[in-house]
Amino acid sequence: METTWYLVLSAFIFAIGVSGVISRRNPLVVLLCLELMLNAGNLALVAFSRMHGGEAGQVFALIVMVIAACEVVIGLGIIVAMYRNRLPIDIDEMSELRG
Amino acid sequence: MSATSYGWLVLAFPLAGTLIIAFGWRVLPGRVPGWIATSAIFLAFLSSIGALLDLLDRSEEERQLVDTAWTYASTGNFKVGLEILVDPLSVFMCLVVSGVSFLIHLYSVAYMGGDRGYARYFAYLNFFVFSMLLLVLAGNFVILIIGWAFVGAASYLLISFWYRRQTAVAAGIKAFVINVIGDVGLVIAAFLILDNVGSLDFLPVFQTAHDHFATNDSTIVWACLMLLVGAFAKSAQLPLHTWLPDAMEGPTPVSALIHAATMVTAGVYLIARMHPLFELAPTAADIGAILGCATLLFAGTVALVVTDLKRVIAYSTISQIGYMVMGVSMAAYSAGLFHLMTHAFFKALLFMGAGSVIGAMAGIQDMDRMGGFRRAMPFTFVTFAIGALARAGFPGTSGWFSKDEILAFAFNRGGWYAVLGVLGYVGAFLTAFYSFRMVFRVFYGNAVPEAVELESGHVAHGEPMNPMTGEPEDTDVGFPGPEHHVAERAWPMKAAMGPLALLAIVGGYVAIPGVDNVIANFLEPVFADSPLAQDEPSTGAEWLGLVIGGAISIVGIGLAWTIYLRRPGTTARLVERYPWAHRFLEHKWYFDEAYGALFVRPFATFGSFGRRVIETDFVQGTIVGGATGVVRVSTSFARAIQTGYLRAYALLLLVGVAGLTLYFLINSS
Amino acid sequence: MWFEDVLFFIAAIGALAGALGVVILQNPFYSVLSLVCHLLGLAVLFLLLNAEFIAAAQVVVYAGAVMVLYLFVVAYIGGADEPLRPESGGIALFGPVFAFCVAVELCIAFIASGLKALNTDGPDVGAGFGSPGAIGELLLTNFLIPFEAASFLLLVAAIGAVVLARRRRGLES
């Protein structure tokens, strides 16, 4: 199998993640779709690393995983804080930036 | 000290007086502002005398001194500075202005007592004298125009001094508007002169005028006509005279100062000062003479029927200035200025006497309600009668000498000027008649209740009200005070009227034809360059004129005596027989109505149209509304994007990424 | 070899199915489970790409720890079922459309580009490729700074989470 297939797969997973971020209203599911997008990036990185024959891409993917973990932690912390303050768990309710 | 230093002092004292009173009015008690103002003018008068003495010390050729305080603008070969010109003409005017102003200030110290705006009055009065002196001492057109404008402003401030009185405010505005018309004329004339001669300083302009203009060149004629517009607006001549009778709304000393002795003579001074230009434009000078003559007849006829005491004197002022304007337009400069001086004396005296009578009448100015004050107010009666005799040109008074000197000049010039002379004598007859109409109606006849009260030693006291409309008023600031002052009771008023009465009698003796000619000799250096002025009538012709004038005045006084004393009721019969004439004269030849229809109403209509349509619909609606509407519409798109929904923002990001990727794809293939 | 291709397709379809499940399923609990399935599919793909350590890290860290964390939060909060057709129809309609456009554009970029390397399997790599030893060596030599920065970031995130989610005395009724 060629690198191209992995890349095409990565593109589709990314697209699915993006559409999820836009269409879902539950912030938990939005975060999950964010994870999808990060994973698609990881897949592309590892595919390129195999194409070049060097492990730099894999190291990069490792770091991305670390970042994803941190981001999930903070995002979930925010959602828990929202829940504690009796705010509705709905992204559309957070519209204070409305101009 | 040189004459120019005295000149600066003359300007400095009244200005200092104004500033001290204006800034310190809270701490100056009682009548102190009045005394400060009076002493400021007295010091100015002394400085004028100093300047006079210094000028007399010099030889005749060196009597035109210029001094510049600082230069305003200096570009290329054009320079304008704060310059005064001290020469016989300006010193003469300074003496007249400061002398008569001093006496009027003295009178006002008592007359305005009790008025809540006492300090404000004296600050304004000093400012007026400062402006008038600035005008007279000006050495170039710029300072002249500045003084001219200040004088107009001071006149407005003083006419509407009792600012809560509607009629006074309207009169002040009317005076100011007409004065501005004159200012415009003056400025246009200055432009024309600057354009053609290249300088605004008086002496260079006068000395080189004949190099730049041919006689009766259209430019110089227009410049002189514009100067006439300025002069006529300030001196209340036809057709810009309508403001002066209404200006009687101001306090009586203001009328004495501004509208008798000083401001209205500024036009005469202007024509005399600009005489080299006027002699280059005989057309303009002739127009000035004709209008001056028309004015004196017009005002004389109206003064026959007006019943308000101050307005009779106002119309007489217009008429007398008509004489002066006619005189200086015909190159009878020293005669015209001599009449200016004597007129200042007797007109100020008449106004002061009128103020005393009005005080006795508790503010009422209508002659129909006056009578028989002779026994109650002897001092006022004597001084008033002296003033009236001088005005009528009774033989022996100063007015006789001055007025008939002008008419003698007219006959000397010959040609159609003789017609003006004849009309001048007709006017003199009218003057004599209405002068004594005033005297007989106010002081003779049956004593009215106010006079009876005064005889028993008690000044009448009425309800405060507007003398023209009868509206009730109060005596707080903005209206006249509660006190009424009569000359017999207040020594400053007597001290002011006395010297003026004396001057009204003996003031003429400085220019007895054939004996001495003090004024003409003194003013000669100024007018030495005028060939027409050198052409003086002979002594015999002048004496003939004096005799005719004296006879006419006696006839006029006699006619007044007959109508008002011997056969009372004659006027009522005349009014019955010629009602239309009476109405025509009473409405002042319908000038006010004509101006109202021609100018005031169209402008008022345009103004309300502007407010309703142009301002509201056009500016507010279209321009302002349109501009804000365009902004609002064009930003509504940007506002629509700011929904506040995170998902919408994410979608926008996505759309942007898709677009960019497409762009790079297309570009790279 | 041929079973590598078969394995690839199975793993790919599993990953795609998991991804679609995350987006489509209403119950957030099921979405989390669907993501776990997707992560496992990706781990298989990583193995096919000779990235052993990354595959292991994916399973242990990602699917193991992070997703469990997610499950805890979903259990705490609950999470109501959303209707499939949300009220704000416009946004939800255009999202997938434009996402599909981006995917198509990327595919065009990959497939139609002239890069020859994309059409190959990649060079022959030795046995140590992708092993923990090789990754570790790189982390401590060439990529030391990103490594340290990432650990610092983890510290910050841990503190941040504690601060965000602690109970504030007196502010809640």
Side-chain angles (χ1 to χ4, degrees):
Chain A
M1 63 278 117
E2 298 159 357
T3 318
T4 314
W5 300 1
Y6 288 97
L7 294 180
V8 167
L9 178 62
S10 154
F12 274 109
I13 295 178
F14 184 82
I16 293 171
V18 165
S19 69
V21 164
I22 291 179
S23 25
R24 294 300 294 262
R25 283 166 61 190
N26 193 332
L28 283 166
V29 180
V30 169
L31 276 173
L32 286 175
C33 299
L34 224 50
E35 298 305 308
L36 273 181
M37 289 156 70
L38 282 165
N39 273 306
N42 268 356
L43 182 60
L45 277 168
V46 173
F48 277 123
S49 144
R50 176 68 180 87
M51 187 184 92
H52 286 298
E55 287 115 349
Q58 296 177 20
V59 170
F60 205 149
L62 194 61
I63 307 290
V64 168
M65 260 191 253
V66 167
I67 291 172
C70 302
E71 170 221 325
V72 161
V73 159
I74 301 294
L76 289 177
I78 290 175
I79 293 174
V80 167
M82 276 164 65
Y83 180 73
R84 286 258 182 79
N85 285 327
R86 313 218 188 296
L87 294 166
I89 309 295
D90 183 347
I91 276 200
D92 283 345
E93 296 294 322
M94 307 281 120
S95 58
E96 266 93 33
L97 282 179
R98 183 184 194 88
Chain B
M1 280 219 281
S2 74
T4 47
S5 321
Y6 281 117
W8 291 115
L9 278 180
V10 166
L11 286 176
F13 283 124
L15 185 62
T18 306
L19 292 173
I20 292 175
I21 300 174
F23 287 117
W25 66 275
R26 281 188 206 274
V27 300
L28 297 170
R31 291 194 173 180
V32 172
W35 292 117
I36 292 180
T38 313
S39 15
I41 305 299
F42 184 63
L43 289 170
F45 179 63
L46 291 179
S47 310
S48 315
I49 294 184
L52 171 72
L53 293 174
D54 184 88
L55 269 191
L56 288 175
D57 267 345
R58 300 168 187 261
S59 66
E60 284 217 355
E61 291 76 39
E62 285 184 16
R63 286 197 187 166
Q64 299 197 298
L65 305 167
V66 174
D67 192 27
T68 312
W70 71 76
T71 314
Y72 287 141
S74 171
T75 64
N77 45 10
F78 170 64
K79 262 174 51 129
V80 160
L82 175 57
E83 207 173 87
I84 60 169
L85 168 65
V86 179
D87 73 350
L89 177 58
S90 49
V91 168
F92 173 79
M93 292 295 298
C94 279
L95 283 168
V96 170
V97 169
S98 54
V100 176
S101 307
F102 163 63
L103 292 171
I104 293 175
H105 273 78
L106 188 59
Y107 179 88
S108 310
V109 168
Y111 186 80
M112 297 296 288
D115 192 300
R116 290 291 303 275
Y118 194 72
R120 181 167 56 103
Y121 173 82
F122 279 103
Y124 286 165
L125 215 60
N126 261 20
F127 173 66
F128 168 78
V129 177
F130 164 71
S131 324
M132 187 71 201
L133 291 169
L134 186 68
L135 193 162
V136 160
L137 280 170
N140 58 25
F141 274 96
V142 174
I143 306 298
L144 177 74
I145 292 174
I146 292 176
W148 201 268
F150 276 179
V151 165
S155 161
Y156 163 75
L157 290 171
L158 284 164
I159 293 174
S160 48
F161 179 70
W162 288 319
Y163 54 84
R164 282 202 284 148
R165 213 180 246 187
Q166 280 300 97
T167 45
V169 172
I173 294 177
K174 184 174 179 179
F176 196 74
V177 168
I178 298 185
N179 262 298
V180 166
I181 297 177
D183 287 352
V184 169
L186 198 56
V187 169
I188 293 179
F191 278 147
L192 285 173
I193 303 238
L194 174 64
D195 195 27
N196 284 285
V197 178
S199 166
L200 283 177
D201 297 334
F202 284 160
L203 289 181
V205 167
F206 296 153
Q207 278 151 12
T208 60
H210 57 89
D211 293 332
H212 294 271
F213 300 108
T215 311
N216 257 342
D217 190 1
S218 70
T219 319
I220 189 71
V221 169
W222 275 109
C224 289
L225 282 176
M226 290 295 114
L227 285 174
L228 279 180
V229 167
F232 280 17
K234 193 69 77 181
S235 296
Q237 300 296 288
L238 238 60
L240 296 167
H241 63 283
T242 49
W243 64 272
L244 187 54
D246 288 352
M248 297 298 115
E249 292 281 339
T252 310
V254 166
S255 308
L257 179 61
I258 297 186
H259 307 129
T262 43
M263 184 175 105
V264 290
T265 57
V268 180
Y269 164 76
L270 183 73
I271 301 179
R273 173 64 80 197
M274 305 286 163
H275 69 268
L277 302 175
F278 276 98
E279 292 194 3
L280 278 174
T283 317
D286 291 343
I287 293 178
I290 294 174
L291 281 175
C293 188
T295 308
L296 71 92
L297 281 177
F298 154 76
T301 55
V302 177
L304 292 176
V305 301
V306 180
T307 53
D308 185 299
L309 180 60
K310 283 175 70 173
R311 275 163 180 74
V312 175
I313 308 181
Y315 279 106
S316 143
T317 304
I318 299 179
S319 175
Q320 297 302 308
I321 296 181
Y323 274 105
M324 293 180 225
V325 167
M326 191 172 78
V328 290
S329 300
M330 288 192 308
Y333 302 118
S334 28
L337 290 166
F338 178 42
H339 192 57
L340 191 156
M341 184 177 88
T342 59
H343 173 262
F345 297 150
F346 60 70
K347 197 46 65 70
L349 182 63
L350 281 171
F351 268 114
M352 289 183 184
S356 184
V357 170
I358 292 170
M361 291 289 296
I364 295 179
Q365 297 175 207
D366 194 353
M367 280 204 293
D368 286 338
R369 300 189 34 183
M370 300 180 188
F373 271 101
R374 208 165 22 137
R375 257 194 304 272
M377 302 172 68
F379 179 78
T380 310
F381 167 61
V382 168
T383 49
F384 198 84
I386 292 177
L389 284 172
R391 188 166 76 186
F394 192 77
T397 57
S398 56
W400 180 51
F401 286 110
S402 56
K403 194 187 318 189
D404 295 305
E405 198 177 326
I406 297 179
L407 298 175
F409 246 100
F411 286 113
N412 189 44
R413 286 281 299 262
W416 59 274
Y417 293 107
V419 177
L420 294 182
V422 170
L423 291 173
Y425 278 123
V426 172
F429 173 71
L430 291 175
T431 309
F433 179 76
Y434 66 67
S435 301
F436 274 83
R437 169 176 179 252
M438 268 191 336
V439 174
F440 293 140
R441 284 186 72 161
V442 174
F443 291 102
Y444 283 76
N446 301 323
V448 292
E450 287 86 352
V452 174
E453 254 189 272
L454 192 54
E455 279 181 50
S456 54
H458 168 245
V459 178
H461 208 78
E463 283 302 310
M465 65 171 185
N466 186 330
M468 293 302 290
T469 61
E471 274 175 52
E473 301 173 347
D474 56 69
T475 57
D476 206 352
V477 69
F479 279 131
E483 299 173 19
H484 297 287
H485 301 273
V486 176
E488 280 72 10
R489 299 290 181 94
W491 71 264
M493 289 164 74
K494 269 202 226 180
M497 290 163 78
L500 279 178
L502 206 58
L503 282 171
I505 299 178
V506 308
Y509 297 150
V510 295
I512 304 178
V515 177
D516 60 0
N517 219 343
V518 173
I519 300 216
N521 289 340
F522 179 60
L523 290 174
E524 202 183 305
V526 180
F527 300 113
D529 55 353
S530 161
L532 289 171
Q534 312 300 325
D535 185 17
E536 291 179 14
S538 64
T539 316
E542 284 195 22
W543 274 110
L544 179 63
L546 284 174
V547 165
I548 297 178
I552 289 181
S553 85
I554 294 178
V555 168
I557 295 175
L559 184 61
W561 187 59
T562 313
I563 289 187
Y564 287 103
L565 287 188
R566 280 278 294 274
R567 298 192 226 155
T570 319
T571 45
R573 278 203 301 270
L574 281 173
V575 168
E576 262 179 54
R577 261 214 280 174
Y578 306 108
W580 49 269
H582 181 81
R583 230 190 342 238
F584 184 65
L585 292 179
E586 219 180 9
H587 284 266
K588 310 158 238 158
W589 294 33
Y590 290 108
F591 263 103
D592 277 326
E593 286 80 355
Y595 286 158
L598 274 178
F599 297 114
V600 175
R601 226 163 316 142
F603 274 105
T605 315
F606 181 65
S608 67
F609 170 73
R611 183 175 61 83
R612 262 181 309 108
V613 176
I614 298 182
E615 179 66 25
T616 315
D617 296 342
F618 185 57
V619 173
Q620 284 291 101
T622 312
I623 296 183
V624 174
T628 57
V630 164
V631 171
R632 202 175 294 136
V633 163
S634 60
T635 56
S636 63
F637 171 66
R639 268 191 294 123
I641 296 182
Q642 311 289 332
T643 54
Y645 292 140
L646 283 172
R647 301 197 290 151
Y649 297 159
L651 178 61
L652 278 175
L653 268 177
L654 179 63
V655 169
V657 166
L660 267 178
T661 319
L662 189 62
Y663 171 74
F664 281 117
L665 265 184
I666 293 178
N667 262 11
S668 65
S669 64
Chain C
M1 293 177 255
W2 62 270
F3 62 85
E4 279 185 6
D5 295 342
V6 169
L7 198 53
F8 169 77
F9 274 107
I10 296 173
I13 289 171
L16 272 176
L20 282 171
V22 168
V23 173
I24 291 177
L25 291 172
Q26 296 309 301
N27 197 333
F29 192 76
Y30 293 156
S31 297
V32 175
L33 292 178
S34 179
L35 188 69
V36 171
C37 166
H38 164 81
L39 290 172
L40 291 173
L42 272 193
V44 172
L45 287 171
F46 287 157
L47 275 177
L48 279 172
L49 285 169
N50 290 101
E52 311 147 357
F53 180 68
I54 299 299
Q58 176 94 328
V59 172
V60 169
V61 169
Y62 225 131
V66 175
M67 286 304 124
V68 168
L69 181 61
Y70 248 108
L71 280 173
F72 276 135
V73 173
V74 169
Y76 178 53
I77 290 183
D81 283 12
E82 278 174 50
L84 188 56
R85 285 276 148 250
E87 295 80 32
S88 53
I91 295 177
L93 178 62
F94 282 114
V97 167
F98 278 101
F100 181 69
C101 290
V102 171
V104 165
E105 284 167 7
L106 285 172
C107 293
I108 294 174
F110 296 144
I111 297 174
S113 77
L115 293 170
K116 282 208 277 296
L118 282 178
N119 294 333
T120 65
D121 290 344
D124 282 333
V125 292
F129 182 79
S131 66
I135 304 284
E137 200 180 321
L138 276 179
L139 275 181
L140 288 176
T141 54
N142 290 359
F143 299 106
L144 181 60
I145 293 179
F147 174 60
E148 297 297 336
S151 48
F152 188 69
L153 184 65
L154 276 170
L155 177 66
V156 168
I159 297 175
V162 168
V163 165
L164 272 176
R166 71 187 158 100
R167 277 188 197 278
R168 284 174 171 76
R169 301 233 177 273
L171 279 179
E172 292 185 80
S173 60

